[in-house]
């Protein structure tokens, strides 16, 4: 029972009791008044008759006496008038019935108005002639009391309704509304969405409570922010270069290896670039080491500016004067133009255009495909050869290693992808995501395509789909096929599905309108779908994602973040985004049982996620040792080849 109802019921009960008591007292007082009136009425009649009957009684004129008694009886409300002689013998009697038939029996029993009897002696001087006995009739008193009861009842009822309305308004304004605000803020605080309470209750106790809660939330927000800051600081120390803030060599190598390994479904091809600054030692001797460090930071900043438009791009300082860049999702036929654009952006910075820098900046690039067993050393060797070719050109130059692959041309890719989408030839694969006790949480949905060479993983065709603006159409078809399956007999009606949605689709107004309309009409299925976006997308599209989430959450759609921990985004976004899950990037999962730094980060991520009531999942669990270690670190669930491979049908 709500506090509002408890308080209102209690106060209403008190008011009803008070008003009922008041009503009862008023009726009883009026009843007493009527009883007195009946007694006075009878006594007055008896006294009057005692006087007027004197002469007639003295002359024993019974006819006149009868007429006088009849006249009095007919003019008033009497039940019985009787004349008795000196011997007590009844001589004249005039009476009527004593019932009240037109009023409720319960009221007559409740009122219980007796018919009072009054007596008066008929005398002549000192001689007693007889006695008159008069009994009032209570019928009129009953009617008066009944009318009075109805009048007072409706007056009290109106007063009671007014009192109830005023009481309810006062309760809502003074107690309930402030408590509802406190409840809303408390729920928000439980989800680590800290905000102070800005109401000023009119009661001293609630005002003190608001002040105490505001002080508490400021302290909690400070503690949580400090925790986020500490974890972010330690993450940067382990994975970032101390001078430039870019990834260090170890973090870069691990992430690019995972990005290009087909053991991670949906791996993405892309371009690897090595940029080298030569002659920095001479620069340090001439201008000082600080100037050299400043130049390295300027180049790093320029590279960051050049790759910020590419989602998921990796940028590292591999050694003193060497930088590495990997941009996933590039189409091979456009690779050269992207490389030249990035190199020109760096080489035209003001510091590098000085004469002494004319032959110090070179870039080598190679296009890489996902491989079953990716050889990182071979990839860097090929990129290093391209770098040497660039240095052979003289001045500041770049060189792109030409791939010998037998891939389709751009037009062939466009025709192939448009046809596959139009003919609904997409293949959906499902990989189970398990909770710690091997209970299926949901299925991760992957899209594949079939060509003459076999089944193509997403990483092999997504770059081309992105180049030709086909991602919204592709995502739409994936969701359409999934919803169709969820409505078929093959679906058990209980399984949930997680679908990766591209930022290009969320930017497309047509796709978002279709998605909202579809989920409105398919609310039951929509509640079983989790839409997932990568963490690195938050760097540039935070406002867009928040807007889309707000619009779709009303349809019951849930959201999650993939690649958690490597997006380069401060974890503070967890305080503003309402998420179902976050999925730890597999770079923290691989060999976690042997890596102390990964264990620390997983524990920290678990604390942050659980503090927001968000589940923490692990991606890329390949061994039992990894799975056991992750569970001990607080991970709620996971996915990977050890737990289950993608299948054409959900397992």
């Amino acid at each position: 029972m709500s506090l509002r109802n408890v308080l209102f019921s209690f106060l209403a009960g008190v008011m009803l009791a008070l008003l009922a008591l008041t009503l009862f007292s008023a009726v009883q007082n009026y009843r007493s008044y009527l009883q007195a009136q009946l007694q006075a009425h009878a006594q007055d009649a008896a006294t009057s008759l005692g006087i007027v009957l004197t002469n007639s009684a003295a002359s024993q004129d019974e006819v006149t006496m009868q007429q006088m008694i009849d006249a009095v009886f007919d003019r008033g409300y009497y039940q019985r008038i009787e004349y008795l002689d000196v011997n007590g013998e009844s001589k004249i009697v005039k009476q009527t019935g004593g019932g009240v038939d037109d009023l409720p029996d319960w009221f007559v029993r409740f009122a219980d108005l007796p018919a009072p009897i009054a007596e008066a002696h008929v005398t002549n001087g000192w001689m007693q002639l007889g006695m008159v006995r008069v009994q009032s009739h209570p019928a009129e008193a009953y009617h008066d009391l009944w009318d009075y009861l109805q009048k007072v009842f409706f007056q009290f009822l109106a007063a009671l309704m007014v009192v109830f309305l005023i009481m309810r308004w006062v309760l809502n304004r003074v107690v309930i509304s402030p408590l509802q605000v406190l409840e809303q803020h408390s729920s928000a605080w439980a989800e680590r969405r800290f905000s102070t309470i800005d109401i000023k209750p009119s009661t001293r106790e609630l005002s003190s409570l608001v002040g105490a809660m505001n002080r508490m939330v400021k302290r909690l927000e400070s503690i949580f922010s400090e925790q986020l800051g500490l974890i972010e600081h330690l993450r940067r120390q382990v994975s970032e270069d101390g001078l430039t803030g870019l990834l260090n060599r170890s973090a870069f190598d691990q992430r690019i290896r995972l990005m290009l390994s087909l053991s991670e479904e949906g791996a993405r091809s892309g371009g690897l670039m090595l940029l080298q600054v030569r002659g920095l030692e001479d620069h340090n001797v001439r201008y000082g080491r600080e100037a050299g460090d400043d130049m390295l930071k300027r180049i790093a900043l320029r590279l960051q500016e050049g790759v910020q438009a590419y989602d998921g791009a990796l940028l590292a300082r591999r050694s003193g004067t060497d930088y590495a860049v990997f941009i996933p999702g590039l189409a091979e036929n456009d690779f050269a133009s992207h490389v030249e654009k990035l190199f020109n952006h760096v080489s035209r910075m003001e510091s590098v255009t000085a004469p002494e820098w004319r032959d110090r900046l070179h870039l080598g690039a190679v296009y890489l495909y996902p491989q079953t067993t990716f050889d990182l050393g071979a990839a860097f060797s090929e990129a290093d050869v391209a770098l040497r070719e660039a240095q052979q050109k003289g001045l500041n130059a770049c060189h792109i290693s030409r791939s010998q692959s037998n891939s389709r041309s751009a037009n062939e890719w466009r025709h192939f992808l448009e046809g596959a989408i139009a003919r609904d030839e997409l293949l959906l694969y499902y990989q189970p995501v398990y909770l710690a006790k091997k209970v299926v949480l949901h299925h991760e949905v992957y899209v594949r395509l079939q060509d003459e060479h076999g089944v193509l993983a997403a990483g092999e065709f997504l770059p081309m789909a992105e180049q030709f603006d086909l991602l919204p159409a592709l995502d739409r078809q994936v969701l359409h096929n999934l919803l169709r399956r969820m409505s078929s007999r093959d679906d058990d009606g209980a399984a949930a599905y997680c679908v990766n949605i591209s930022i290009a689709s969320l930017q497309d107004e047509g796709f978002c309108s279709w998605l909202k309309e579809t989920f409105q009409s398919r609310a039951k299925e929509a509640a079983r779908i989790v839409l997932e976006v990568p963490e690195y997308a938050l760097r540039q599209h935070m406002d867009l994602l928040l807007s889309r989430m707000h619009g779709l959450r009303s349809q019951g759609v849930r959201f999650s973040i993939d690649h958690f921990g490597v997006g380069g985004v401060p974890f503070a976004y967890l305080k503003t985004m309402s998420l179902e899950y976050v999925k730890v990037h597999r770079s923290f999962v691989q060999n976690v049982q042997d890596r102390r730094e990964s264990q620390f980060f997983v524990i920290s991520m678990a604390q942050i996620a659980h503090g927001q009531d968000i589940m923490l999942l692990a991606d890329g669990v390949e061994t039992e040792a990894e799975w056991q270690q992750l569970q001990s670190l607080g991970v709620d669930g996971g996915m990977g080849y050890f737990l289950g491979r993608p299948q054409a049908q959900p397992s």
Side-chain angles (χ1 to χ4, degrees), residues 38 41 54 89 91 183 186 197 223 283 303 386 399 412 447 451 457 475 504 512 520 528 534 580 596 618 626 628 639:
L38 286 173
H41 179 258
T54 299
E89 183 181 349
K91 295 295 185 178
E183 179 187 6
S186 298
I197 305 171
I223 293 173
H283 186 80
L303 285 170
H399 180 78
E412 289 173 336
V447 59
D451 69 356
D475 287 342
C512 291
Q520 280 179 340
R528 296 163 52 200
E580 196 76 14
R596 296 288 184 122
E626 292 174 352
Q628 296 298 330
M639 58 182 291

Side-chain angles (χ1 to χ4, degrees), residues 20-94:
L21 181 61
T22 303
L23 178 62
F24 179 78
S25 299
V27 172
Q28 287 297 321
N29 290 336
Y30 193 62
R31 176 178 175 275
S32 299
Y33 166 76
L34 291 175
Q35 285 181 321
Q37 290 293 101
L38 286 173
Q39 183 66 46
H41 179 258
Q43 189 62 56
D44 290 346
T47 302
S48 299
L49 282 173
I51 296 172
V52 301
L53 291 177
T54 299
N55 294 331
S56 299
S59 61
Q60 297 184 352
D61 186 356
E62 293 186 5
V63 174
T64 302
M65 293 173 65
Q66 180 72 49
Q67 290 176 344
M68 290 182 178
I69 290 173
D70 289 344
V72 172
F73 189 87
D74 292 339
R75 289 199 307 269
Y77 298 97
Y78 302 100
Q79 185 172 327
R80 180 184 176 90
I81 298 179
E82 182 180 13
Y83 174 74
L84 298 91
D85 61 14
V86 292
N87 297 319
E89 183 181 349
S90 178
K91 295 295 185 178
I92 301 174
V93 177
K94 184 72 173 179

Side-chain angles (χ1 to χ4, degrees), residues 507-578:
Q507 290 175 316
D508 187 273
E509 293 294 340
F511 173 85
C512 291
S513 297
W514 170 85
L515 189 62
K516 191 171 183 178
E517 292 173 3
T518 301
F519 282 170
Q520 280 179 340
S521 61
R522 308 284 291 275
K524 186 176 179 180
E525 290 85 357
R528 296 163 52 200
I529 292 178
V530 180
L531 299 183
E532 190 169 86
V533 294
E535 188 184 56
Y536 56 75
L538 302 179
R539 287 202 304 265
Q540 299 180 44
H541 309 292
M542 177 70 79
D543 293 339
L544 172 70
L545 288 174
L546 287 174
S547 174
R548 298 306 190 205
M549 285 183 178
H550 178 73
L552 291 171
R553 192 165 288 280
S554 60
Q555 312 301 324
V557 182
R558 297 170 291 166
F559 292 88
S560 68
I561 293 294
D562 195 10
H563 294 174
F564 183 56
V566 299
V569 183
F571 295 142
Y573 70 84
L574 294 176
K575 296 191 294 184
T576 57
M577 301 182 74
S578 182

Side-chain angles (χ1 to χ4, degrees), residues 302 342-350 352-353 361 396:
R302 200 73 169 182
L342 177 62
F343 182 73
N344 290 335
H345 185 71
V346 177
S347 62
R348 291 175 183 174
M349 58 185 290
E350 184 177 353
V352 179
T353 56
L361 201 64
N396 293 339

Side-chain angles (χ1 to χ4, degrees), residues 413-443:
W413 269 115
R414 177 190 283 273
H415 180 74
F416 171 69
L417 292 174
E418 288 178 344
I421 295 172
R423 294 187 297 271
D424 191 14
E425 295 176 349
L426 305 184
L427 305 176
L428 299 188
Y429 279 66
Y430 308 88
Q431 185 173 18
V433 178
Y434 288 98
L435 293 176
K437 295 184 179 180
K438 252 336 186 42
V439 177
V440 175
L441 176 65
H442 61 250
H443 291 86

